Amino acid sequence: MDVDDVRDGESISRLLRAWRSRVDARTVPELRWTYPRPGRLLSQKHVARLTGVSEGWYRALEAGRRRDFSEGFLLRVAAALRLSEAETLTLFLAVCGRRPPGPRTGFGELPQGVRDLLVQQTTYPAYLSDVAWNVVASNGLMGEWFPWVLRPGANLMRWALLHPEAREQMLDWEETCARTYLAMLRVAANSNPGNAELRSLVREVLDSDAACRRIWAEEHDVVEHRDGHVFRLRLPYHDHTEIRVTTHVLLPIQRPDLRFVFITPLTD
C-alpha cells in the first residue's frame, strides 16, 4: 500500500471492515427486535441503525470518502463496533486528523445541588443536556425508559431525528417530534452562530435524512424549548403500551449552560 492509498482513506476502510466483521450481530441488544433477525454478520445497515444515520452516510465512512463526520457520530461508531481506546484514536486520526474529545462534564463534576436534584428524582425520568443536546447525566429511570441515553455520545437530537427506533417509539413522529425539534435547532443555530458543534449537528441531521430536509425546507417555525410539550410514546419499558407524557425544562442557576429536563406521564 502506498502513501496515497492511506491518505485517500483505504487503510481506515480496511480497518472498519475488519472491526465490523468481528462483532457478532446476535450479541447486540439493540438488534434483537429488528426484523428479519440478524445473523452473525454485523452489516453496514446494522451499524447505521445503531449510530442513528442513513446506511449511505455510514457507507461513505467505511468507503473512506471524505465527509464532515461529526465527533458524536464517530464516537457512536466506536461504540457500535466495540472499539478499544487505541482503535477509537486511530479512527479519529484517520477520519478527521484529531484525537477523540475528552470526557464531557462528568456526573461527579456537576454542582452538588444539581447532582442531588437529579439523583433524588426517582419518580420520573430526568436528564441534563448541554446547549447542543448532548446528554451530560441522567437518572436511573431515564436509562430504563430510554436506554439510548446510556450509549457513548448520547445526543437527544440525533436520536430523535435520525435513529430508526425513535420513529417506532415516538408516535406521530413528524408532527409531534420532528417539526418541533427542527424548529428548536433553527433557533439554537441562529442564537449561537459561532458554535461549531451546533452547526455540525444541523448539517449532520439535514445531510443524513430526507424527511428532515423536507421539513426544514417547508417550515419556518422557531421554537426555543419544548417545556410542556406532549408526546405519545410506545416504549419497551411499558410493554409497548401507548402512554402520553409531557416534558418540563428547567435551567439550573448554578449551570445555566445546562438544561434539566424531567418527563411526567399524563392521565386523562
Side-chain angles (χ1 to χ4, degrees), residues 28-42:
V28 181
E30 293 89 343
L31 298 179
R32 288 175 184 168
W33 307 109
T34 59
Y35 183 84
R37 294 286 183 87
R40 193 205 67 79
L41 177 64
L42 185 71

Side-chain angles (χ1 to χ4, degrees), residues 127-137 156 257-261:
Y127 66 95
L128 287 164
S129 65
D130 63 17
V131 294
W133 288 280
N134 298 298
V135 177
V136 173
L156 173 66
D257 58 314
L258 299 179
R259 305 178 185 93
F260 187 105
V261 183

Side-chain angles (χ1 to χ4, degrees), residues 118 121 124-128 137-142 260-263:
L118 187 62
Q121 177 54 263
Y124 305 116
Y127 66 95
L128 287 164
S138 60
N139 68 355
L141 266 180
M142 187 69 190
F260 187 105
V261 183
F262 61 99
I263 301 168

Side-chain angles (χ1 to χ4, degrees), residues 43-198:
S43 66
Q44 291 182 337
K45 184 176 182 178
H46 290 149
V47 180
R49 180 182 179 90
L50 292 171
T51 54
V53 300
S54 68
E55 186 178 353
W57 188 255
Y58 174 74
R59 190 184 300 118
L61 173 69
E62 195 167 293
R65 293 197 290 271
R66 298 297 180 182
R67 298 269 182 96
D68 187 16
F69 299 113
S70 70
E71 291 181 344
F73 169 60
L74 295 179
L75 287 172
R76 296 195 303 279
V77 169
L81 299 182
R82 302 175 181 177
L83 302 188
S84 67
E85 184 176 345
E87 290 166 344
T88 302
L89 172 63
T90 302
L91 174 65
F92 269 77
L93 291 177
V95 173
C96 55
R98 59 180 181 273
R99 303 180 69 86
R104 297 189 182 276
T105 303
F107 194 75
E109 298 174 322
L110 295 172
Q112 185 67 39
V114 176
R115 183 170 63 250
D116 290 347
L117 185 61
L118 187 62
V119 170
Q120 294 171 14
Q121 177 54 263
T122 59
T123 307
Y124 305 116
Y127 66 95
L128 287 164
S129 65
D130 63 17
V131 294
W133 288 280
N134 298 298
V135 177
V136 173
S138 60
N139 68 355
L141 266 180
M142 187 69 190
E144 293 178 15
W145 282 40
F146 303 97
W148 64 268
V149 302
L150 304 178
R151 301 170 191 161
N155 181 282
L156 173 66
M157 288 294 176
R158 289 192 181 94
W159 179 80
L161 294 174
L162 299 179
H163 207 287
E165 72 179 9
R167 305 188 190 199
E168 299 167 359
Q169 296 177 8
M170 305 183 77
L171 305 183
D172 300 324
W173 173 82
E174 180 168 327
E175 294 302 322
T176 63
C177 171
R179 293 184 184 276
T180 298
Y181 281 16
L182 287 168
M184 291 165 59
L185 272 179
R186 186 175 284 112
V187 171
N190 283 281
S191 301
N192 299 276
N195 189 315
E197 186 173 17
L198 274 174

Side-chain angles (χ1 to χ4, degrees), residues 221-263:
D221 291 344
V222 289
V223 176
E224 185 176 7
H225 56 74
R226 66 190 188 290
D227 182 61
H229 193 73
V230 176
F231 296 95
R232 294 170 54 231
L233 305 173
R234 280 203 183 102
L235 305 175
Y237 179 80
H238 296 282
D239 295 323
H240 300 282
T241 300
E242 181 179 332
I243 62 170
R244 295 170 66 243
V245 302
T246 186
T247 56
H248 310 271
V249 184
L250 309 176
L251 300 180
I253 194 168
Q254 295 171 295
R255 287 293 304 273
D257 58 314
L258 299 179
R259 305 178 185 93
F260 187 105
V261 183
F262 61 99
I263 301 168

